[in-house]
Amino acid sequence: MTKYENQIPTSMNMNLKAMLSMLRDSLKSGQERRPLSHIPIVKSEFSETVNADDHPQVTWFGHSAFLLEMEGTRLFFDPMLGNRPSPVSWVGTKRYNVNLPVQPEDLPPLDAIILSHDHYDHLDYSSIRRLMNKTEQFIVPVGVRRRLIQIGVPSDKITEHSWWDELHLKSLTLACTPARHFSGRGLFDRNSTLWCSWVICGQETKVFFSGDSGYGPHFKEIGAKYGPFDLTMMECGQYDERWANIHMMPEETVQAHLDVKGKLLIPIHWGAFTLAYHAWTDPVERITQAAHNANVDIATPKIGEKVQIHTGIYPTEPWWKSGF
């Protein structure tokens, strides 16, 4: 079986001390690891088609799922729209909200569904089944094709890519770029598929999606090759010092944004599920402070709230403090 590796050494071995400390943290009370009530969601409406001269915009669906509309193209990234990031529907952390900005069946046609890796909180089979007939193209890192074929996606709809591969989709150039993470959906298939970030380059707009990643030199490499970016969608949540090699701390996320030469930053990988031991608002609190300290423009949309790129007017309301 092929095994994929990170660009730099990335240990994920947990010693006994780390395991015991995680057990201790899982039993702690008093830390608001989940919101006390349903968080606000903006109901979204989308036109049937995207015109080349429409203003480019992004709609966040919670966690790392987002819809990007730019230059006549509509792309859905890591569309995890299910209730639990788990191999079975009755075990694991539940989504903070059962409602979505729009139901998958009500979405307009998609030019492509693009995945960063095969973990349950990014590749959700139930979501893919619901979206399968909305698109003619799935764009995935190497090895993930077989995952999709197993659930009925026709093989001719899927293209898979290695790091630094480029492909063209209408007026856009997409590049599969490195990330510092791992893959696998079971006990015996770790690193059997590739993980990645994505670059989306149009005629007027450039967007970077970090996927899941620890901090590393790949961000500067991506910035040097493809930057600057008008927008970065950067992971910022489910972190812990014990697994900092594979998930950035919020302050590192801001540095990674600077490394890729980003302009506007939208923090993702938070706001939907509890997969770590920090309070559910810690990611956005820490990254907004770090962005302010670094003079970085940051948008903090509600789930379902559209953010238009290039306008200079972005949602910055601390909605997570509103008490709902």
Side-chain angles (χ1 to χ4, degrees), residues 16-275:
L16 179 60
K17 181 180 178 181
M19 296 295 288
L20 290 174
S21 67
M22 289 170 61
L23 177 60
R24 175 203 65 208
D25 290 348
S26 69
L27 299 174
K28 281 183 179 178
S29 60
Q31 188 173 13
E32 292 184 358
R33 294 178 58 208
R34 293 181 60 89
L36 300 178
S37 60
H38 285 177
I39 63 176
I41 284 182
V42 176
K43 289 294 183 181
S44 301
E45 295 184 357
F46 299 92
S47 61
E48 191 67 13
T49 60
V50 183
N51 298 315
D53 57 354
D54 287 347
H55 213 104
Q57 64 181 11
V58 65
T59 308
W60 180 47
F61 279 68
H63 206 60
S64 293
F66 66 94
L67 193 67
L68 175 64
E69 298 168 296
M70 59 182 274
E71 301 186 15
T73 306
R74 182 178 278 135
L75 309 173
F76 208 155
F77 289 81
D78 285 6
M80 198 304 175
L81 306 178
N83 288 329
R84 298 179 193 266
S86 168
V88 291
S89 61
W90 62 90
V91 174
T93 180
K94 293 179 65 175
R95 183 181 287 275
Y96 298 158
N97 288 63
V98 294
N99 295 324
L100 296 167
V102 60
Q103 292 301 314
E105 293 81 5
D106 296 328
L107 280 167
L110 307 169
D111 289 287
I113 291 173
I114 302 176
L115 301 176
S116 65
H117 63 299
D118 67 3
H119 284 160
Y120 290 96
D121 57 324
H122 295 261
L123 169 54
D124 176 61
Y125 285 170
S126 66
S127 300
I128 296 298
R129 290 188 181 102
R130 296 174 72 182
L131 291 168
M132 194 184 306
N133 296 324
K134 292 288 182 180
T135 187
E136 292 300 315
Q137 188 166 3
F138 289 80
I139 301 171
V140 303
V142 173
V144 178
R145 165 187 259 141
R146 68 175 181 269
R147 308 284 197 201
L148 299 182
I149 292 173
Q150 286 172 356
I151 58 171
V153 178
S155 61
D156 60 0
K157 277 191 172 187
I158 310 163
T159 62
E160 56 180 17
H161 305 273
S162 299
W163 290 344
W164 306 116
D165 283 356
E166 293 184 356
L167 66 148
H168 299 286
L169 179 61
K170 297 169 76 169
S171 68
L172 305 181
T173 297
L174 281 69
C176 177
T177 45
R180 189 183 182 199
H181 199 55
F182 71 110
S183 67
R185 292 175 71 86
L187 296 175
F188 306 109
D189 64 351
R190 174 167 285 194
N191 296 348
S192 62
T193 63
L194 188 62
W195 51 95
C196 70
S197 55
W198 286 100
V199 166
I200 308 95
C201 295
Q203 302 300 311
E204 304 291 338
T205 305
K206 290 184 181 181
V207 175
F208 176 67
F209 168 43
S210 69
D212 278 6
S213 184
Y215 184 71
H218 61 284
F219 290 114
K220 284 188 177 179
E221 294 174 15
I222 293 165
K225 186 176 176 80
Y226 292 107
F229 292 96
D230 301 287
L231 171 68
T232 70
M233 306 291 289
M234 303 288 279
E235 78 128 56
C236 165
Q238 323 317 320
Y239 50 79
D240 191 291
E241 292 287 357
R242 290 163 291 200
W243 56 80
N245 284 342
I246 56 170
H247 283 297
M248 289 183 285
M249 313 301 281
E251 296 77 15
E252 291 178 312
T253 300
V254 172
Q255 184 58 56
H257 168 84
L258 293 170
D259 287 354
V260 300
K261 304 177 185 177
K263 297 177 183 177
L264 178 65
L265 164 63
I266 296 181
I268 57 174
H269 208 248
W270 76 284
F273 305 103
T274 295
L275 301 172

